[in-house]
Amino acid sequence: MQTPPHLRWPGTIPHLRALILLALFALSLLWAEAALAHAVTLGDKGYIQEITGPQIIPFLYLGAKHMVTGYDHILFLFGVIFFLYGMKEIGLYVTLFAIGHSVTMLAGVWFNFGINAYIIDAIIGFSVVYKALDNLGAFKTWFGVQPDTRTATLVFGLLHGFGLASKIIEYNISPDGLLTNLIAFNVGVELGQLTALAAILVVMRRWRAQPAFGRQAYTANVIMMGLGFYLMGLQLVGLALA
């Protein structure tokens, strides 16, 4: 993992407008879909509650759809690979996240163990903040230590899985074919994750080739941190009003 750039404000940024547009686009997605973090659409929810027996293809689709539209997952994944360049290293971190996510999603639903949706989603928002701070080198600057990034990725993968398990439990999914459907859903999640990762890597490769990437990296992580705080605040307000 390459060392992040020194903490500094970027000064003149040739592609600042592109970053602002990216931030506005991300914020518009958050406002438009704020209520759907770790959730599925009402139509999909009704479908999940009605069907019984093994339904591999539908649950594959629902899992992939959840991941591709799950902006909190994608934001964290974006942060994880931000300073990763080698495919072997990227594969290691994504695998750690996938293992954590899969274990708690499957175990949580199978053993009917969930966490308050607002609390777990606030923690997931915090994972985005944490990763942005990690990318900015904040922990080493503030505390003189660098937390193990692989362990952090695995732990946050476990927490992201609990978030999804908590939602699925609320849908009262049929016990008939439950294990098959959960495995299909999880495979769909991983396929969706690979799709999102491929798109992110294409954009990152072009971006990293730009001379201004070093300066823009700071701003991008600050924006990501702000979005993480926004997600946290959204869920904490929801918890207070629930």
Side-chain angles (χ1 to χ4, degrees):
M1 188 174 186
Q2 295 197 2
T3 303
H6 296 298
L7 290 172
R8 63 182 186 274
W9 287 106
T12 303
I13 302 176
H15 300 287
L16 181 59
R17 283 185 298 178
L19 284 172
I20 293 174
L21 288 174
L22 177 64
L24 291 174
F25 176 70
L27 283 172
S28 68
L29 285 178
L30 291 178
W31 280 320
E33 302 290 340
L36 295 178
H38 274 280
V40 297
T41 64
L42 288 177
D44 290 342
K45 179 181 178 180
Y47 178 74
I48 291 172
Q49 291 173 328
E50 290 176 0
I51 60 175
T52 60
Q55 302 286 344
I56 295 176
I57 300 301
F59 276 92
L60 272 173
Y61 166 74
L62 290 170
K65 180 180 178 182
H66 167 80
M67 188 66 197
V68 172
T69 59
Y71 44 78
D72 47 3
H73 284 303
I74 293 175
L75 267 177
F76 181 74
L77 192 63
F78 173 72
V80 167
I81 68 165
F82 197 91
F83 286 115
L84 299 179
Y85 288 79
M87 290 307 298
K88 184 177 179 181
E89 201 172 25
I90 291 172
L92 172 63
Y93 278 81
V94 172
T95 300
L96 286 172
F97 180 70
I99 290 173
H101 187 278
S102 300
V103 166
T104 45
M105 193 278 283
L106 292 171
V109 178
W110 186 256
F111 294 107
N112 195 33
F113 178 75
I115 299 175
N116 181 288
Y118 289 114
I119 293 176
I120 192 64
D121 281 346
I123 293 173
I124 290 171
F126 171 73
S127 73
V128 177
V129 175
Y130 176 93
K131 194 58 207 173
L133 289 172
D134 186 38
N135 287 346
L136 292 168
F139 301 120
K140 195 168 184 178
T141 301
W142 293 343
F143 307 113
V145 295
Q146 173 58 52
D148 189 308
T149 54
R150 290 168 296 187
T151 301
T153 301
L154 176 62
V155 170
F156 282 124
L158 292 168
L159 293 170
H160 278 241
F162 266 128
L164 182 53
S166 300
K167 286 296 181 183
I168 293 177
I169 290 172
E170 292 179 1
Y171 301 150
N172 296 318
I173 185 173
S174 171
D176 184 13
L178 177 61
L179 183 59
T180 300
N181 291 337
L182 286 179
I183 292 174
F185 186 88
N186 194 62
V187 171
V189 167
E190 302 313 325
L191 291 175
Q193 178 169 270
L194 291 175
T195 302
L197 178 63
I200 292 172
L201 287 176
V202 168
V203 174
M204 290 297 293
R205 177 169 295 181
R206 293 178 61 86
W207 188 14
R208 288 166 176 166
Q210 302 296 320
F213 173 74
R215 298 192 304 274
Q216 294 174 348
Y218 177 86
T219 305
N221 278 281
V222 170
I223 291 172
M224 187 169 68
M225 182 171 56
L227 293 174
F229 276 124
Y230 174 77
L231 288 172
M232 288 177 61
L234 189 70
Q235 298 303 327
L236 292 176
V237 169
L239 177 64
L241 298 177

